[in-house]
């Protein structure tokens, strides 16, 4: 493997000149820079990332902190962020802080980030006061997604408005008895989105003078299996709603399966709408309020790149990504 000394000898310059030329620094003539780059390519020389970071003070690495990686929303955003940063020569350290099974979150520590990264992305991750203080002390550019972090930009959707759109679609079809599948998990990480979506459902009913009943609300974890398992008493009650708004498409899919198992038709007996536009929703014909998950990742990565490259002052402004109603086969007019 060629070394920087080999490149310097072959190009007829000093090691320092090779270093400056390959890092794009001043004080190197265009002719010399071109010669060094050509010789480095001919010798297949690759600069050591560690040496480069020591010389420049930058690691070209970004920390992406997320509670999960196995769920569709999180893995899709992680992929979008990695692709966007990689095009600009940055790499990502993935820090997964929560166990998907027992919801025990590992605390953020200084050792995870100190002298290792140039910036941080937090993905739907509420921070404890001590973690806020830790990040502020590192003086790094930070961008949040989903759950806001004090003093830094945040990319998100308006979950309350998305749920009001979903509920409003059912109301527009003539439904007056509208149920809800969701529930608010007890763990801190997943509290904001469920809370805001449930609030949107309640507000939409109130705005149209429609009744709310506890028996029309299904408490389920945010999986298709959880919705399927929990839907029995809800679907078997004599005063069943004619339509249901689910807090996510995965919840909607589980509910639809449970209804069909009981001989109910969707949307003939029960209209169902979700939120997200999950990867299977188009195939299964699920009506939904679509959020652009990839765009959220791209926007967050672009904001972080701007802060890192321009050394700009950060503030807590929010970039709200719009949502869109997508009507498919699972919603229809209310039964007469």
């Amino acid at each position: 493997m060629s070394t920087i000394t080999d490149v310097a000898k072959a190009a007829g310059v000093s090691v320092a000149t090779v270093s400056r030329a390959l890092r794009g620094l001043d004080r190197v003539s265009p002719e010399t820079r071109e010669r060094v780059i050509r010789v480095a390519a001919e010798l297949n020389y690759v600069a050591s990332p560690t040496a480069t970071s020591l010389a420049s003070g930058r690691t070209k690495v970004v920390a992406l902190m997320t509670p999960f990686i196995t769920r569709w929303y999180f893995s899709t955003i992680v992929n979008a962020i990695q692709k966007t940063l990689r095009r600009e020569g940055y790499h990502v350290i993935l820090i997964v802080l929560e166990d998907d099974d027992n919801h025990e979150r590992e605390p953020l520590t200084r050792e995870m980030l100190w002298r290792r990264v140039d910036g941080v992305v937090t993905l739907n991750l509420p921070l404890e006061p001590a973690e806020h203080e830790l990040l502020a002390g590192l003086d790094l550019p930070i961008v949040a997604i989903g759950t806001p972090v004090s003093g830094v930009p945040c990319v998100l959707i308006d979950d309350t408005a998305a749920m009001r759109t979903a509920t409003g679609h059912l109301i527009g079809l003539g439904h007056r008895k509208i149920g809800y599948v969701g529930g608010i998990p007890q763990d801190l990480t997943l509290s904001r989105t469920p809370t805001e979506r449930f609030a949107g459902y309640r507000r939409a009913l109130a705005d149209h003078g429609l009744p709310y009943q506890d028996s029309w609300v299904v408490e389920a974890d945010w999986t298709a299996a959880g919705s399927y398992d929990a839907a029995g008493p809800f679907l078997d009650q004599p005063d069943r709603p004619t339509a249901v708004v689910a807090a996510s498409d995965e919840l909607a899919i589980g509910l639809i399966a449970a209804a069909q198992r009981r001989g109910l038709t969707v949307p003939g007996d029960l209209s169902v709408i979700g939120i997200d536009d999950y990867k299977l929703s188009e195939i299964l014909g699920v009506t939904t309020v679509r959020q652009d998950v990839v765009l959220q990742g791209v926007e967050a990565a672009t904001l972080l790149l701007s802060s890192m490259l321009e050394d700009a002052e950060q503030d807590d402004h929010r970039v709200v990504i719009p949502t869109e109603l997508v009507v498919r086969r699972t919603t229809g007019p209310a039964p007469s």
Side-chain angles (χ1 to χ4, degrees):
M1 180 181 295
S2 299
T3 67
I4 192 170
T5 303
D6 297 328
V7 176
K9 287 181 179 179
V13 297
S14 68
V15 169
T17 298
V18 172
S19 177
R20 286 195 295 269
L22 295 180
R23 285 157 49 206
L25 301 181
D26 296 334
R27 304 193 306 279
V28 179
S29 69
E31 296 81 7
T32 300
R33 189 186 313 279
E34 182 179 343
R35 184 167 75 255
V36 169
I37 292 174
R38 185 182 70 252
V39 169
E42 291 171 352
L43 296 178
N44 293 318
Y45 170 71
V46 179
S48 162
T50 302
T52 301
S53 67
L54 288 173
S56 65
R58 294 185 179 272
T59 65
K60 301 288 282 187
V61 175
V62 167
L64 174 50
M65 301 189 301
T66 176
F68 311 112
I69 190 59
T70 56
R71 302 188 184 187
W72 163 79
Y73 167 84
F74 293 93
S75 61
T76 301
I77 286 187
V78 167
N79 190 45
I81 291 171
Q82 285 184 321
K83 286 183 176 179
T84 304
L85 292 175
R86 195 160 55 235
R87 283 195 292 267
E88 300 299 325
Y90 281 81
H91 300 281
V92 172
I93 292 178
L94 191 59
I95 302 175
V96 182
L97 292 175
E98 185 159 330
D99 189 311
D100 204 356
D101 295 323
N102 57 28
H103 303 300
E104 292 183 358
R105 182 158 91 76
E106 182 181 353
L108 177 65
T109 65
R110 183 182 178 88
E111 289 71 24
M112 293 176 180
L113 304 172
W114 178 242
R115 296 185 182 275
R116 298 180 66 194
V117 300
D118 295 337
V120 177
V121 178
T122 64
L123 176 49
N124 221 8
L125 193 69
L127 299 177
E128 299 289 350
E131 294 173 326
H132 275 287
E133 186 176 345
L134 186 154
L135 286 179
L138 293 175
D139 195 27
L140 291 171
I142 303 169
V143 173
I145 302 176
T147 299
V149 173
S150 177
V152 304
C154 183
V155 179
L156 73 172
I157 67 167
D158 187 332
D159 285 289
T160 301
M163 180 54 73
R164 294 180 73 177
T165 297
T167 309
H169 170 66
L170 298 175
I171 295 171
L173 291 170
H175 294 277
R176 296 296 177 265
K177 296 165 60 178
I178 301 172
Y180 181 88
V181 176
I184 301 174
Q186 297 303 309
D187 63 296
L188 178 65
T189 299
L190 295 178
S191 62
R192 189 197 66 84
T193 296
T195 299
E196 294 193 3
R197 291 187 184 181
F198 186 63
Y201 161 72
R202 294 291 302 268
R203 191 176 303 173
L205 294 182
D207 288 346
H208 290 85
L210 298 180
Y212 166 84
Q213 292 188 26
D214 287 335
S215 62
W216 292 354
V217 176
V218 178
E219 293 280 344
D221 68 33
W222 280 47
T223 64
S227 176
Y228 180 86
D229 292 339
F234 169 82
L235 293 171
D236 294 337
Q237 62 183 301
D239 188 28
R240 186 184 62 243
T242 62
V244 175
V245 59
S248 75
D249 285 3
E250 290 188 70
L251 289 166
I253 290 169
L255 177 68
I256 292 167
Q260 291 174 337
R261 185 180 181 185
R262 285 166 170 76
L264 300 175
T265 61
V266 177
D269 296 315
L270 185 71
S271 284
V272 180
I273 184 172
I275 294 179
D276 286 338
D277 204 16
Y278 176 62
K279 59 185 178 182
L280 295 179
S281 296
E282 182 176 5
I283 297 172
L284 298 175
V286 178
T287 297
T288 188
V289 176
R290 180 177 187 267
Q291 63 165 318
D292 194 332
V293 180
V294 172
L295 181 58
Q296 292 173 57
V298 172
E299 286 287 337
T302 301
L303 279 172
L304 188 67
L305 284 167
S306 176
S307 295
M308 291 188 301
L309 297 176
E310 299 174 12
D311 199 23
E313 189 97 4
Q314 288 200 298
D315 57 39
D316 58 358
H317 76 278
R318 299 187 179 186
V319 178
V320 180
I321 304 298
T323 55
E324 173 190 8
L325 176 65
V326 180
V327 180
R328 296 189 178 114
R329 299 192 303 270
T330 61
T331 53
S336 57

